[in-house]
Amino acid sequence: MKIFKRFLFTALINLGISMQVIAQVTTLQVDSLMKSALAELEVAGAAIAIVKDGKVVIQKGYGTRDIDAPSPVNEYTNFQIASTSKAFTVAALAILVEEGKVTWEDKVKDHIPEFKMYNDYVTENMNIADLLTHRSGLGLGVGDLMFFPDGGDFDAKDVVKVFQYFKPVSAFRTQFDYDNLLYIVAGEVIHRVSGQPFGTFVEKRILMPLGMNRSKVDKKAMLKDENTAGPHSLIANKVKRINFFENSESAAAGGIYSNVADMTKWMSVQLNRGKYGRNLDSALFSAANSKRMWTIHTPLSAEESKRYKSHFLGYGLGWFLTDKNGCMVVSHSGYVPGMHSEVILVPDLNLGITILNNSDHSGGALNHAVTNAILDKYLGLSELKWVDMGVNFLAQNKGKDDEATTKVWAKVDSLKKQKVDIQKYIGSYSDRWFGEVQVYLKDKELRIRSVRSPKLNGAMHLYEKDIFAIRWDYQDMNCDALATFTLNKEGKAESIKMKGISPNIDFSFDFQDLDLRRKP
C-alpha cells in the first residue's frame, strides 16, 4: 500500500538537457531496458505497458511469476497493484459525486456518524476530499500496524474510531503526511452511500465497464488464478518466494489485483478525462472531476533540477502531481510485501506508462529506473544510466541498514549470558487503538505477541537495561523492533514503548505510535 519515493535520486539527476526529441520508444528498446533491469536489480518478474496517443505501444511481461516454479510473466499476469489502487477509490467516489449521492465537501461524520478524529474541530470539519489528500495532521503511516503485517482482525469499523487516539504532528490541512487508514475510511463511505461493499462497487462500476476483465478486488478469486505473480523478497541475501499480503479490509488503500493489459484501459480513461468506449461516448466521471483529481490539494516542496526544470510538486486526489521539462506529470506508486507498482501519466503528451513487478527488495528501484528512462526519451532528455544508479543506490542503503542492525544484534549476542529478572516484564499490556500485547515466558525464552495481529509474535533478547530487541517470527519484511520498558517504584514494568531497529524499516510498521500500558 505504500509509495516508492520517486524523488530519491534527485541529487543524481541535476544534469544538463539534450534538445533532441524522441517521439516514440520501440519494443526493442523496452526489451533491452527491462531485461537489463531485471538482471542487474535481481527482480523475479515484471510487466510493462505504454499507451501513446490512444494506442498501445507495448504491453509485455518479463521474467518469472514464481522462482520456485518458473513460469513466464505475460501481459495478462496479475499483480497486487498496492497504492495505485487509491486512484480507483477516488474514481469510485467521483462516480457517486456525478450521481449526486455525495459531494467532495460532504462531512465524513454525516455518512459515518461514529467517525472521530483527535479533536472535535477536525471531527466536525473533515470532509471526503480530506480523506484522500494526506493532510489530516497525523503522522506518516499512522495506524498502519493494524494491517502490517497482514493477518490481523481489524476492520473498517475499527479504523473509523482509532484516529481519536493518535497525536497530531501538524495542524489540520497544513502538512503532507502519507496515510493509508483514511483511504479505508473513504472505502467505507462508498460502502454506506452505495449500499455495496467497496470491492463490489469497484468491480461493477469501474472494472467491468472498462473491460478490465482480469482485474479483481476479491483476493480469494485472484489467488485461484494460475496467472498471478507470486511475491518475492531478499532474505539472507537470497531472493525467496514469500506469502501474499492478504487483507481485504485495506482494499480501498491498496487491494486491487491487475495486469498491464487491463491497466492500459485504466490509463486511457484517465488520459481521456473520464471518457471511454470505441468513440469515447461513455464516461466514468466528468472532465471537471478529472481536473479536481489533478489539482494540487496538498503542496510539497519541489526539488530544484536543471534537468527537469520542475516548478511544483503536490498531491491531488489519489495522484502525485509535478512538472518535468514543461509537461505536467501525474503519477502514483504502490507497495505491499513482495510487489511494486507504478503508473505515470503525461497528459500533455497523451502518454501513459505502467509497470508492475513481484520483488520486494529492489522492485521500487526497478520501476523508478525503467519509467524514468522511458519518460526521459519522450521528454527529449539526454540518456542517463538509471539502472546503474538504482543498483548503486540500493547497495549504499543496504550497507547503512546492515551496519545499524548488525550493531544491535552483536550487542544482543554479547549479553546472552547476563542474568535477567524476566518476571518483572511478564504481563499483559494494552494500547487504546492496537489492543492487547502479551509478554510471556515459553521454554525459558521471553516472548511478545499481539492478540489482534498474530504474526507479530517473537522472541525478546536483552539489548540494554530494560530494553529488548525483538526478532519476530514473521520475516517476510524487515521489521524487527526494540521494546523499552518503564518500571514503577516497585521495579515492575508498567509500560512499553517501541521502535524499529532498521533505519530503513517500512513506515507502515509504526511501532512508535503505540502506547502500551500494563493491564490491571
Side-chain angles (χ1 to χ4, degrees), residues 116-118 138 158 161-167 431-434 513 515:
K116 192 172 183 179
M117 291 295 290
Y118 49 84
L138 295 174
D158 294 311
K161 298 176 182 178
V162 299
F163 302 101
Q164 62 186 301
Y165 302 122
F166 298 125
K167 294 180 180 179
D431 176 86
R432 290 187 295 176
W433 62 270
F434 191 66
D513 291 321
D515 184 17

Side-chain angles (χ1 to χ4, degrees), residues 261-306:
D262 280 359
M263 290 296 284
T264 62
K265 299 167 185 176
W266 174 242
M267 291 190 293
S268 294
V269 76
Q270 292 289 334
L271 290 168
N272 289 320
R273 301 298 184 121
K275 294 182 178 180
Y276 67 97
R278 181 172 297 179
N279 299 310
L280 300 181
D281 49 5
S282 298
L284 280 185
F285 48 80
S286 65
N289 272 318
S290 174
K291 183 178 180 180
R292 184 148 190 164
M293 296 173 194
W294 293 356
T295 296
I296 289 178
H297 293 257
T298 309
L300 293 99
S301 178
E303 296 282 352
E304 292 186 9
S305 169
K306 292 180 181 178

Side-chain angles (χ1 to χ4, degrees), residues 421 424-425 487-493:
D421 180 9
K424 61 186 179 183
Y425 306 111
L487 309 187
N488 60 20
K489 292 180 180 179
E490 289 74 37
K492 188 174 183 179

Side-chain angles (χ1 to χ4, degrees), residues 135-152:
R135 60 185 186 186
S136 68
L138 295 174
L140 173 67
V142 69
D144 279 0
L145 202 61
M146 297 171 78
F147 299 100
F148 274 77
D150 59 331

Side-chain angles (χ1 to χ4, degrees), residues 208-233:
M208 291 173 63
L210 294 182
M212 298 177 68
N213 298 323
R214 282 190 46 74
S215 300
K216 301 289 181 184
V217 185
D218 181 358
K219 71 177 187 298
K220 292 182 180 178
M222 200 66 266
L223 296 180
K224 293 178 182 178
D225 188 325
E226 290 185 358
N227 195 6
T228 298
H232 299 79
S233 187

